[in-house]
Amino acid sequence: MAVSVACCGVSFVNAPAKLLQSSSALCFRASSSCKLNPEKKKYTLRVRDEHSSNDGPQPMAFKSSPFGSSQQKKDKKESQPTDLRQTDPAKIHDASFLDAVVKVYCTHTAPDYSLPWQKQRQFTSTGSAFMIGDGKLLTNAHCVEHDTQVYFPLLFYFPLFFFFFLTFFLDQVKVKRRGDDRKYVAKVLVRGVDCDIALLSVESEDFWKGAEPLRFGHLPRLQDSVTVVGYPLGGDTISVTKGVVSRIEVTSYAHGSSDLLGIQIDAAINPGNSGGPAFNDQGECIGVAFQVYRSEETENIGYVIPTTVVSHFLTDYERNAKYTGYPCLGVLLQKLENPALRECLKVPTNEGVLVRRVEPTSDASKVLKEGDVIVSFDDLRVGCEGTVPFRSSERIAFRYLISQKFAGDIVELGIIRAGEPKKVQVVLRPRVHLVPYHIDGGQPSYIIIAGLVFTPLSEPLIEEECEDSIGLKLLTKARYSVARFRGEQIVILSQVLANEVNIGYEDMNNQQVLKFNGTHIRNIHHLAHLIDMCNDKYLVFEFEDNYVAVLEREASNSASLCILKDYGIPSERSADLREPYVDPVHDNEALDQGFGDSPVSNLEIGFDGLVWA
């Protein structure tokens, strides 16, 4: 058994302490309330070869982002990186780069996806971060995921507890410098979930006195020395471990469930190292420690987010004042290594990848068709095994080129269609997941009708409920279906709050609702809209497997108030469902397509030569 886990340290004082011991490893993951269960959800690494040539794509220049340089401009001086090769090992504790690494303390309160109107019990964690200038710190997104925030209207209802809330709820992300006994309040500016990076700011001037931000280096080579610095479990002081770069390739990011460039190292990375920097011999930061690969058959496999990914994150934030995420092409690709297949498709050379499916929500659906062969990406030739040149003498997965782009970028594809070469342009957009891996805004949507609790299906809900209780048919849709239009959701009856109105429906938990009063459900907001507009005597819900639930409308409205009071639920629906409904379907033909009948993966990587790009 092998599990890839994010390495944020966890404190057990306020945590539910649901640590799960497998036969191979003890796994910590603060971003999921310590509920990473290797038996329930395996974050296996799905890696590919990735390399390039001088003629191929080059890593993005980090200096394009201002975050690493504005502080030096203010000081009117350039801080020189420490050359670790010339540093006396006995005096490593005096190296200036250590002072830029700080310890992160965070109190997390994750949503309760089974009871979506409330939060889970809070827990605390520790991680690492480092200074990049301009009053900013860089760390991992999972280190500050679901950081506790107070709902400000509460302060007006409970003025006597204002100081309590201010002290214990507003200041739930704090940082501490090496050699200092004070903790400073940090604000989370932005999180990049798919790349597992977060940007923090600290306003206190005392925190930045004498601080020198780290400088970023280029993508390292194999066997280059690497030094990892952070605050892992096992002690309170700073920790330094050394190793070498053992592999550079596309890596599965456990927290973001995405596949991006990663650096594999053999230096020790433990819970609490997350967010800490990794240095080369010149004292330049070459990446951010973020996860390890644990198995009975492996040891000393740690992973670092390279500066190319960090640069993409910061540039995205600088351009848009928010994080928009990594784009995708929106096609399912197959390798063309078989000569007979190339001949059948009239591909004259040993190159190209076959388009097997185009996502309906992608812009590629307007210009690409099933059976097209992509032979070039912005004039860079694509090999028949799905790779492109990378650096001097290596090759890398074709999708690496897409990960270097930003949402809204236009790329030119060279394709062969029915033996005829063509050039087409495609706008890249972030992938639309029918079943999301993370909930935007942090709190899931829900609506309660006479004790029937409806909510969208999501990966956190599947993990919380356990796959066995979800059902094989629903899991199959979650894993192998794609969205037909933007905004589509799988809405399920997550549970039934028993009362005299819904007698007989208590055993219908985790059933997908397909129709309401004969109308197909598009998403949870659509269901709420249909219920609000309904003037019929009965509310008729049609579920999968031909189940049907019928409620008398007026009796349901009366019962809902009593149910909310009896179960202590603050509202019969989430705040987002009080907004006016906007129909996401502009093309009614999308609704005529089959739902969940296509054997393609909702994940970003497929199997045996089939891969999403």
Side-chain angles (χ1 to χ4, degrees):
M1 180 187 300
V3 181
S4 176
V5 293
C7 295
C8 186
V10 179
S11 169
F12 308 107
V13 176
N14 298 316
K18 296 183 180 179
L19 290 178
L20 299 163
Q21 177 91 51
S22 71
S23 59
S24 58
L26 182 63
C27 303
F28 297 85
R29 188 168 185 246
S31 60
S32 60
S33 306
C34 309
K35 290 191 292 186
L36 178 62
N37 187 340
E39 299 301 326
K40 287 170 52 179
K41 187 171 183 179
K42 301 179 181 179
Y43 291 102
T44 54
L45 292 180
R46 298 161 297 197
V47 294
R48 293 176 197 68
D49 232 3
E50 44 167 311
H51 311 301
S52 57
S53 73
N54 293 331
D55 299 326
Q58 299 300 315
M60 298 173 58
F62 186 86
K63 60 184 179 182
S64 63
S65 175
F67 294 107
S69 59
S70 56
Q71 184 67 35
Q72 289 93 331
K73 291 179 182 178
K74 291 181 180 179
D75 296 339
K76 298 183 183 298
K77 65 178 181 179
E78 290 288 338
S79 59
Q80 298 299 323
T82 303
D83 193 329
L84 300 186
R85 293 173 298 182
Q86 301 176 4
T87 302
D88 184 353
K91 297 181 179 180
I92 190 71
H93 61 275
D94 293 328
S96 60
F97 71 89
L98 294 181
D99 294 331
V101 185
V102 303
K103 190 170 185 177
V104 178
Y105 301 83
C106 183
T107 299
H108 311 260
T109 309
D112 190 325
Y113 296 93
S114 298
L115 305 174
W117 53 86
Q118 66 184 29
K119 298 276 191 176
Q120 296 184 24
R121 184 179 180 183
Q122 73 176 25
F123 64 95
T124 61
S125 73
T126 62
S128 305
F130 58 95
M131 303 174 183
I132 61 173
D134 198 30
K136 305 295 190 301
L137 297 170
L138 206 67
T139 187
N140 284 145
H142 72 262
C143 289
V144 291
E145 183 185 37
H146 302 308
D147 58 301
T148 301
Q149 297 178 353
V150 67
Y151 181 50
F152 282 95
L154 292 177
L155 301 182
F156 297 98
Y157 291 102
F158 303 101
L160 295 178
F161 296 98
F162 176 84
F163 181 77
F164 171 80
F165 280 114
L166 185 66
T167 303
F168 294 99
F169 283 85
L170 293 182
D171 302 343
Q172 293 305 306
V173 178
K174 297 182 180 180
V175 293
K176 186 174 72 171
R177 290 185 60 176
R178 178 182 179 229
D180 197 346
D181 61 350
R182 291 171 295 176
K183 296 179 183 177
Y184 297 86
V185 176
K187 178 182 178 182
V188 181
L189 296 178
V190 61
R191 297 181 188 85
V193 174
D194 50 359
C195 62
D196 200 6
I197 303 175
L199 192 65
L200 312 180
S201 67
V202 179
E203 296 182 358
S204 174
E205 295 182 358
D206 291 340
F207 177 81
W208 296 101
K209 286 183 179 179
E212 292 187 5
L214 298 181
R215 297 174 64 88
F216 288 84
H218 296 290
L219 194 67
R221 299 278 180 173
L222 297 180
Q223 283 296 306
D224 281 357
S225 297
V226 59
T227 301
V228 178
V229 181
Y231 291 86
L233 295 179
D236 294 326
T237 59
I238 201 165
S239 169
V240 179
T241 57
K242 297 201 67 175
V244 298
V245 174
S246 52
R247 182 179 290 160
I248 300 176
E249 62 183 358
V250 174
T251 302
S252 178
Y253 282 39
H255 178 65
S257 296
S258 56
D259 295 310
L260 299 171
L261 193 65
I263 303 173
Q264 180 183 320
I265 63 175
D266 66 354
I269 296 180
N270 293 295
N273 269 124
S274 283
F279 297 93
N280 58 18
D281 276 344
Q282 289 73 45
E284 299 171 328
C285 177
I286 54 94
V288 186
F290 75 115
Q291 68 184 30
V292 294
Y293 185 73
R294 288 176 175 165
S295 167
E296 295 177 349
E297 301 175 353
T298 62
E299 58 183 24
N300 295 337
I301 297 181
Y303 289 91
V304 171
I305 302 172
T307 53
T308 53
V309 177
V310 174
S311 175
H312 189 284
F313 167 80
L314 293 177
T315 304
D316 187 0
Y317 177 62
E318 177 191 355
R319 286 183 180 182
N320 305 293
K322 63 178 182 179
Y323 181 70
T324 61
Y326 278 81
C328 73
L329 190 57
V331 294
L332 183 70
L333 301 175
Q334 179 180 335
K335 298 178 182 179
L336 282 183
E337 296 178 292
N338 184 275
L341 180 57
R342 291 198 302 271
E343 183 179 355
C344 177
L345 295 170
K346 300 179 182 179
V347 179
T349 57
N350 185 24
E351 61 183 0
V353 285
L354 175 63
V355 176
R356 294 297 301 133
R357 174 73 184 268
V358 184
E359 291 185 358
T361 56
S362 69
D363 285 69
S365 62
K366 303 174 183 177
V367 295
L368 294 179
K369 298 180 180 180
E370 183 178 324
D372 288 345
V373 177
I374 300 177
V375 295
S376 68
F377 183 96
D378 282 344
D379 293 326
L380 194 67
R381 309 305 292 182
V382 179
C384 64
E385 79 281 21
T387 61
V388 294
F390 179 65
R391 299 206 292 201
S392 59
S393 59
E394 302 167 292
R395 296 188 69 84
I396 194 170
F398 162 58
R399 292 181 306 105
Y400 171 75
L401 298 180
I402 303 174
S403 70
Q404 298 302 291
K405 301 294 184 177
F406 294 88
D409 284 356
I410 300 175
V411 298
E412 185 177 72
L413 301 178
I415 67 172
I416 295 178
R417 178 179 295 169
E420 295 294 328
K422 294 185 177 184
K423 292 281 188 178
V424 296
Q425 291 186 332
V426 178
V427 181
L428 301 179
R429 307 286 184 190
R431 171 165 281 114
V432 176
H433 292 286
L434 179 61
V435 179
Y437 294 100
H438 295 267
I439 304 298
D440 293 335
Q443 200 68 20
S445 303
Y446 73 91
I447 183 170
I448 303 174
I449 304 297
L452 306 184
V453 182
F454 298 96
T455 189
L457 184 66
S458 64
E459 288 293 340
L461 176 60
I462 293 174
E463 182 179 355
E464 190 171 295
E465 285 286 304
C466 299
E467 295 183 354
D468 293 340
S469 65
I470 293 295
L472 181 59
K473 182 174 291 188
L474 207 53
L475 280 176
T476 301
K477 285 189 176 183
R479 300 288 188 261
Y480 298 104
S481 294
V482 295
R484 298 169 296 172
F485 51 87
R486 291 182 178 272
E488 183 178 19
Q489 294 175 327
I490 296 178
V491 182
I492 67 170
L493 175 64
S494 64
Q495 64 176 300
V496 178
L497 306 177
N499 63 87
E500 65 277 4
V501 175
N502 59 44
I503 293 175
Y505 303 139
E506 289 79 2
D507 296 330
M508 293 179 60
N509 290 359
N510 296 324
Q511 291 286 329
Q512 180 186 357
V513 56
L514 300 178
K515 296 180 181 180
F516 173 77
N517 283 9
T519 302
H520 284 277
I521 303 301
R522 300 174 182 178
N523 52 43
I524 185 70
H525 207 160
H526 185 217
L527 175 60
H529 171 72
L530 293 176
I531 293 173
D532 292 340
M533 301 299 294
C534 179
N535 293 318
D536 297 342
K537 181 178 181 180
Y538 296 107
L539 307 179
V540 182
F541 301 90
E542 296 181 50
F543 297 87
E544 212 167 34
D545 296 330
N546 298 316
Y547 282 102
V548 62
V550 179
L551 302 176
E552 203 278 321
R553 182 171 59 86
E554 293 185 0
S556 298
N557 293 338
S558 301
S560 292
L561 296 176
C562 296
I563 292 171
L564 297 181
K565 181 179 179 180
D566 292 342
Y567 285 89
I569 302 173
S571 175
E572 49 88 24
R573 67 182 64 187
S574 54
D576 60 311
L577 300 187
R578 300 190 187 101
E579 300 294 329
Y581 171 71
V582 178
D583 194 341
V585 180
H586 302 289
D587 182 7
N588 288 328
E589 292 182 0
L591 295 178
D592 297 331
Q593 301 176 17
F595 183 87
D597 57 355
S598 179
V600 296
S601 174
N602 193 35
L603 301 176
E604 294 194 5
I605 176 172
F607 53 91
D608 294 339
L610 287 176
V611 58
W612 278 111

